[in-house]
């Protein structure tokens, strides 16, 4: 088996140009969405997927999220999600990115099992709905040997692990950004490793949110010693759309930069993260053969 040569960098994109920018800057995998700048990303169209596949040869994880807002879905919305997964499976994606919660803020295990069953053999990433789950309750039974410590995310982690077939959890450590929640991420890495032990395809943690050239070194410094293999970032910003005529007082309700702007991956940011990550990886694993 070939050794991993550096940290895997996943970049979330919502256009063909962003996908090209990310690939040219050194991304290893794409998370494909739409509406990234307007609510965290929703399900991409097949047209977008096929167009990206024509110009970029990177593995693609497709977002499955039928709308912005919360992560509690109706039966009709669930059927849309399952149909999207069927289509993505037929069109060569590496996997899907998805998350479903119940009305009380816990992972909806039964619906997630339906989703995983539909997705297999694709990879399944449970997205940042994990960061929106309710805190663990006193006396819950899922402590895995740390019954004297109440960890807010522990019930959600157990629920996801119990589903089976989920490859990774994309999370900011239940903080506003990953760099602000490194203590929680460190605990998540340790607990996940305890849960999966030495399973070759066991559940892993994918840190994301707020990872950029100014924060990547601290994230890697904290998490590489715990087995970090991959990171997630957008590396994006609003750019001017270029239209010369903008009707006064008119818009589509987005406001601010997004009203006339385009959300776009900044290749320089991604490239800088790539360079820093490679150097940190080499420092940490330089003695490995």
């Amino acid at each position: 088996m070939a050794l991993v040569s550096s940290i895997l960098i996943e970049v979330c994109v919502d256009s063909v140009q962003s996908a090209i920018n990310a690939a040219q800057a050194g991304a290893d995998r794409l998370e494909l969405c739409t509406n990234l700048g307007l609510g965290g990303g929703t399900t991409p169209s097949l047209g977008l997927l096929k167009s990206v596949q024509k110009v970029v040869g990177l593995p693609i994880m497709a977002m499955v999220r039928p709308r912005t807002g919360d992560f509690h879905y109706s039966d009709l919305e669930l059927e849309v999600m399952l149909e999207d997964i069927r289509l993505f499976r037929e069109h060569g994606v590496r996997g899907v990115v998805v998350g479903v919660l119940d009305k009380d803020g816990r992972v909806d295990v039964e619906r997630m099992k339906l989703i995983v069953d539909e997705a297999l053999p694709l990879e399944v990433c449970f997205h940042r709905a994990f960061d929106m789950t309710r805190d663990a309750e006193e006396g819950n039974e899922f402590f895995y040997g740390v019954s004297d410590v109440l960890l807010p995310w522990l019930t959600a982690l157990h629920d996801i692990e119990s589903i089976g077939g989920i490859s990774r959890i994309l999370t900011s450590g239940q903080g506003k950004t990953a760099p602000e929640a490194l203590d929680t991420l460190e605990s998540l890495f340790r607990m996940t490793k305890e849960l999966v032990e030495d399973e070759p395809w066991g559940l892993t943690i994918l840190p994301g949110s707020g990872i950029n050239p100014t924060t990547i070194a601290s994230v890697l410094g904290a998490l590489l010693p715990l087995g970090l293999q991959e990171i997630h970032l957008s590396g994006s910003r609003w750019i001017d759309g270029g239209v010369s005529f903008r009707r006064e007082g008119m818009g589509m309700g987005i406001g601010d930069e997004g009203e006339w702007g385009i959300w776009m991956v900044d290749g320089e940011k991604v490239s800088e993260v790539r360079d820093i990550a490679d150097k940190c990886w080499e420092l940490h694993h330089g003695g490995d053969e």
Side-chain angles (χ1 to χ4, degrees), residues 95-250:
V96 294
V97 184
V98 63
V100 181
L101 306 182
D102 66 21
K103 62 182 179 63
D104 296 317
R106 283 192 58 170
V107 174
D108 193 326
V109 172
E110 294 310 310
R111 287 191 165 192
M112 280 303 305
K113 285 181 177 178
L114 291 174
I115 286 169
V116 171
D117 286 346
E118 191 62 61
L120 291 175
L122 301 180
E123 294 180 6
V124 178
C125 173
F126 194 99
H127 60 43
R128 291 191 58 215
F130 176 83
D131 295 325
M132 312 302 174
T133 55
R134 68 181 303 156
D135 290 352
E137 298 175 357
E138 293 285 355
N140 91 59
E141 65 272 32
F142 309 127
F143 285 107
Y144 296 100
V146 289
S147 57
D148 57 329
V149 180
L150 187 67
L151 303 175
W153 40 263
L154 196 52
T155 300
L157 179 63
H158 171 271
D159 287 342
I160 292 171
E161 190 271 338
S162 73
I163 293 163
I166 294 181
S167 311
R168 62 185 69 91
I169 300 172
L170 171 62
T171 176
S172 63
Q174 296 196 335
K176 185 175 180 179
T177 68
E180 296 176 59
L182 287 177
D183 288 347
T184 298
L185 284 166
E186 289 172 0
S187 297
L188 268 168
F189 268 81
R190 293 189 180 97
M191 186 61 67
T192 303
K193 186 175 182 180
E194 180 180 330
L195 284 178
V196 302
E197 296 180 346
D198 295 321
E199 295 178 25
W201 307 110
L203 183 68
T204 60
I205 300 299
L206 174 61
S209 183
I211 296 179
N212 56 52
T214 63
T215 62
I216 181 61
S218 63
V219 172
L220 296 182
L223 301 179
L224 278 175
L226 300 177
L228 175 69
Q229 297 286 323
E230 53 189 4
I231 56 171
H232 172 99
L233 66 148
S234 71
S236 297
R237 60 186 177 90
W238 290 107
I239 65 170
D240 189 82
V243 65
S244 59
F245 175 73
R246 300 180 181 184
R247 184 175 293 279
E248 184 73 23
M250 295 295 289

